[in-house]
Amino acid sequence: MSFTNSRKEQLSSFSFLLPYLLVFVGMIVVPLFWGIYLSFQKVDLFGPGKFIGLDNYVRLLHDRIFRQTVWNTLYFVILTVPALVVVGLLLALVLNQKTRVTSMLRGVFFASTILSVTVVTLIWRIIFIPNDGLMATLFTHIGLEPISFLSDPDWSLISIAIATVWWCLGLPMILFIAALQQIPREIYEAAAIDGANRWAVFFRITLPSIGRTIVLVIIIEIVMQFQLFGQALLMTNGGPNNSSRSMVMYIYDLGFRRWDVGMAAAASQLLFLIILIAAMAQFYVSRRKGADV
């Protein structure tokens, strides 16, 4: 009788998991292996494929523009992820108070996160417009020569990174605030009794207590920022001279403009591999440093 009840409970639990498993397999596992299969094919959207082995990967590695998009994407991640973590943590420390003003400010800073990429790029294109934009007016007012943020190859990707940090800052801030509020107040009270200053409290109590959240935020942002697409497409269209073209934009061009689906699939697999290595490296370094994750 107990065995029958146990089987019923297992079937009941499995029935709750089944919809998620079906979606996971259909939306993640099948496309992943289908993409790997396509990466070894010479195929477009209009006919059968032909197996060509590693030729798509060889062509990618010899493509100068692809190598530049890899560097652009890595540079963008280096620009945005540390900024999102540091600024998000600083905002969380400042706004970790239960007052009406801090609650309102949390909402203000988080509001940018819910905006669409179209609205975000429109706002920042207005800010970066040469001659008449907000930044040009500010530079002129303080006696400096305005910078062509979106048309200068040295500034185009930095400008997109600034807009992206402003857009994505809400999520790290909220996660850090949630982690800070889980730290028992008694620990801070004991530190105050022992005469610990603010820096000692921050480095010896606060940071170690939110170590898992810091690792989580870094991994989430690495995965998100490697997928740069919408803001780069709408703000600069990858220019000037491919200086802001990302790997995802390159994959989009291959698959939906040049119809080279096999090569686009190969580039997608390389992007997936880079993201996986970056996330696992961060996880490994954090474990080596003793973060309990």
Side-chain angles (χ1 to χ4, degrees):
M1 183 67 180
S2 60
F3 177 76
T4 304
N5 290 335
S6 176
R7 289 294 299 271
K8 287 182 177 178
E9 290 177 358
Q10 290 178 1
L11 289 174
S12 177
S13 301
F14 184 73
S15 67
F16 283 102
L17 290 174
L18 185 60
Y20 170 77
L21 285 175
L22 291 175
V23 172
F24 180 79
V25 171
M27 302 295 291
I28 304 294
V29 177
V30 172
L32 175 63
F33 286 98
W34 184 248
I36 295 173
Y37 169 76
L38 288 176
S39 71
F40 298 114
Q41 303 279 321
K42 181 175 179 55
V43 60
D44 54 31
L45 295 178
F46 308 106
K50 175 185 176 184
F51 181 77
I52 58 173
L54 295 174
D55 283 5
N56 285 325
Y57 293 95
V58 174
R59 288 169 60 199
L60 282 173
L61 296 177
H62 285 84
D63 188 334
R64 181 185 59 80
I65 296 178
F66 175 72
R67 294 198 302 270
Q68 183 173 357
T69 62
V70 173
W71 164 246
N72 290 344
T73 307
L74 290 173
Y75 182 43
F76 179 78
V77 171
I78 292 170
L79 288 174
T80 54
V81 172
L84 284 165
V85 174
V86 173
V87 179
L89 179 57
L90 291 176
L91 276 177
L93 290 170
V94 173
L95 300 179
N96 185 31
Q97 306 292 331
K98 294 181 180 179
T99 67
R100 187 172 298 178
V101 174
T102 56
S103 298
M104 182 187 69
L105 290 175
R106 290 177 200 171
V108 169
F109 284 111
F110 190 76
S112 62
T113 306
I114 64 175
L115 296 176
S116 70
V117 65
T118 307
V119 175
V120 172
T121 53
L122 180 61
I123 292 171
W124 284 94
R125 281 186 66 87
I126 293 173
I127 293 174
F128 288 138
I129 286 177
N131 302 322
D132 298 324
L134 178 62
M135 295 300 295
T137 303
L138 179 62
F139 274 58
T140 304
H141 183 72
I142 61 178
L144 297 176
E145 185 70 22
I147 298 173
S148 301
F149 285 97
L150 299 180
S151 56
D152 186 328
D154 294 329
W155 282 95
S156 57
L157 203 56
I158 295 174
S159 304
I160 296 171
I162 294 171
T164 302
V165 170
W166 177 83
W167 182 28
C168 301
L169 192 57
L171 178 61
M173 180 195 70
I174 290 298
L175 290 175
F176 284 135
I177 289 176
L180 290 172
Q181 292 182 350
Q182 299 301 313
I183 303 174
R185 305 305 304 175
E186 293 79 7
I187 299 178
Y188 290 114
E189 293 171 359
I193 293 173
D194 291 339
N197 58 39
R198 290 187 176 184
W199 290 109
V201 170
F202 177 71
F203 285 107
R204 297 184 180 181
I205 296 177
T206 304
L207 273 185
S209 299
I210 62 172
R212 288 183 294 179
T213 303
I214 293 174
V215 174
L216 174 66
V217 169
I218 292 174
I219 292 176
I220 289 175
E221 294 301 333
I222 285 175
V223 174
M224 289 178 61
Q225 303 312 327
F226 262 112
Q227 302 175 55
L228 168 66
F229 179 68
Q231 59 270 48
L233 180 68
L234 295 174
M235 290 178 73
T236 64
N237 197 24
N241 196 24
N242 294 311
S243 61
S244 59
R245 185 175 299 278
S246 67
M247 290 184 71
V248 177
M249 289 183 67
Y250 183 84
I251 294 168
Y252 173 78
D253 287 338
L254 283 175
F256 297 101
R257 292 180 176 172
R258 293 161 54 183
W259 308 112
D260 194 342
V261 177
M263 197 166 169
S268 301
Q269 301 312 314
L270 292 178
L271 175 60
F272 170 73
L273 187 62
I274 293 172
I275 294 175
L276 183 64
I277 291 173
M280 293 306 296
Q282 170 59 35
F283 185 79
Y284 176 76
V285 170
S286 302
R287 291 295 298 266
R288 292 277 295 179
K289 289 183 178 180
D292 184 17
V293 295

